[in-house]
Amino acid sequence: MKRVAHEPAFVLHHYDWSESSLILEVFTRHHGRTALMARGAKKPSSNFRPVLLPLQPLHLSFGGDADIRMLRSAEWIGGHIMPTGERLLSGYYLNELLLRMLARDDPHPALFDVYARALALMASDHAGEWLEAVLRAFELTLLREVGLLPALDVQTLTHHPLQSDRHYVLLAHSGLRLAQPEERRQALAASHWLALEQAMQGEQSLQAVMQLCMAQRDVAQGLKQQLRGVLHAHCGVEMLRTRKMMMELQKL
């Protein structure tokens, strides 16, 4: 890849490279997660300084053949304001998931669109009403996009159909299976898993899963516990940094 122009992107994270430059981790629509060098971005006079913000939709132009490419230009394309408070931390949580679970230069345009839509919802005036639903929908989409979410309408190891009167749990390394008695509290009914599988089909999967989670709070709560375990296992951590930060702020 020599040069890319006006690529839709979001800044996920940045690192200091020198006294005046930054290394950016960005999520682009057509090229996936990419590392860029922004020369002079820390200088007060830099055109990059007010633009390279996280959770904001950008158009980036960059080029080069090295692992870290050179950022040529950056333009804020507008669309929504910066989330604040709990919504801001939730946005950083999505960024941490993308950093940990996406390989470099592996495009996921559908996931990019879902991420952009999720951030727009978080920045809206009524985000508090659907924040948890947005997070669950994005987590499911991310796992499905990277090939770590099994079909939710059959038991993973046996491929037996779900029984309507039974409850099931989703685990990182064994997929969807029948819940044991001690797991019943966080398990979901077969009808809920089937509804989630159906909701994830089609282009409006984010909205469909959100509506299901908002209509049935027990589904959202059960998913939260199970997806947390799945994501932590695949990220290789006991607790994500953003979750730890959120817990510390809640104590204050």
Side-chain angles (χ1 to χ4, degrees):
M1 181 174 62
K2 297 296 184 181
R3 179 162 296 208
V4 175
H6 305 295
E7 172 69 9
F10 289 88
V11 174
L12 300 178
H13 192 54
H14 66 77
Y15 312 88
D16 291 335
W17 177 249
S18 65
E19 291 184 0
S20 62
S21 300
L22 295 173
I23 298 295
L24 306 174
E25 289 280 0
V26 301
F27 184 31
T28 69
R29 192 176 193 277
H30 301 104
H31 303 278
R33 185 167 71 88
T34 303
L36 304 176
M37 176 184 286
R39 286 192 182 278
K42 296 166 63 177
K43 294 180 179 179
S45 59
S46 172
N47 293 330
F48 289 146
R49 190 180 178 94
V51 176
L52 297 176
L53 301 175
L55 313 180
Q56 293 294 299
L58 306 173
H59 277 166
L60 303 180
S61 297
F62 53 91
D65 294 323
D67 290 340
I68 301 177
R69 299 171 178 117
M70 190 65 63
L71 179 65
R72 305 296 183 185
S73 67
E75 177 187 2
W76 180 64
I77 61 175
H80 62 78
I81 62 173
M82 180 74 77
T84 59
E86 185 180 0
R87 296 173 294 163
L88 179 62
L89 285 177
S90 296
Y92 286 145
Y93 166 70
L94 300 191
N95 286 1
E96 185 176 4
L97 288 179
L98 292 174
L99 284 167
R100 290 182 178 274
M101 299 193 67
L102 294 186
R104 286 266 180 85
D105 303 318
D106 184 17
H108 291 278
L111 178 62
F112 181 92
D113 293 341
V114 169
Y115 172 77
R117 179 60 178 155
L119 293 185
L121 288 170
M122 288 181 182
S124 66
D125 293 336
H126 302 287
E129 302 174 11
W130 53 54
L131 182 58
E132 288 293 327
V134 172
L135 295 177
R136 303 294 83 77
F138 180 83
E139 290 166 347
L140 285 170
T141 302
L142 174 60
L143 288 169
R144 173 79 35 111
E145 277 287 317
V146 298
L148 296 174
L149 183 71
L152 302 179
D153 53 0
V154 295
Q155 297 185 62
T156 302
L157 297 181
T158 64
H159 292 279
H160 292 161
L162 304 188
Q163 302 177 46
S164 58
D165 60 339
R166 310 299 290 271
H167 285 68
Y168 298 84
V169 291
L170 180 67
L171 303 174
H173 303 297
S174 56
L176 194 64
R177 66 158 173 78
L178 191 66
Q180 301 299 316
E182 64 272 15
E183 299 170 325
R184 184 65 180 267
R185 185 175 180 180
Q186 67 178 28
L188 296 181
S191 59
H192 293 154
W193 289 116
L194 294 172
L196 284 167
E197 178 65 28
Q198 184 177 3
M200 294 193 67
Q201 308 303 318
E203 297 180 357
Q204 302 299 320
S205 59
L206 181 74
Q207 289 82 353
V209 174
M210 282 178 56
Q211 290 174 2
L212 179 60
C213 290
M214 292 176 66
Q216 303 189 47
R217 298 293 180 178
D218 53 339
V219 173
Q221 189 58 36
L223 269 181
K224 183 176 183 177
Q225 299 299 323
Q226 295 181 62
L227 291 178
R228 181 181 298 168
V230 171
L231 290 166
H232 285 181
H234 288 304
C235 289
V237 297
E238 293 185 3
M239 183 179 296
L240 294 170
R241 292 181 180 179
T242 44
R243 172 164 167 71
K244 183 177 180 180
M245 183 186 302
M246 197 173 300
M247 293 176 64
E248 290 174 350
L249 289 174
Q250 288 174 349
K251 291 179 180 179
L252 295 176

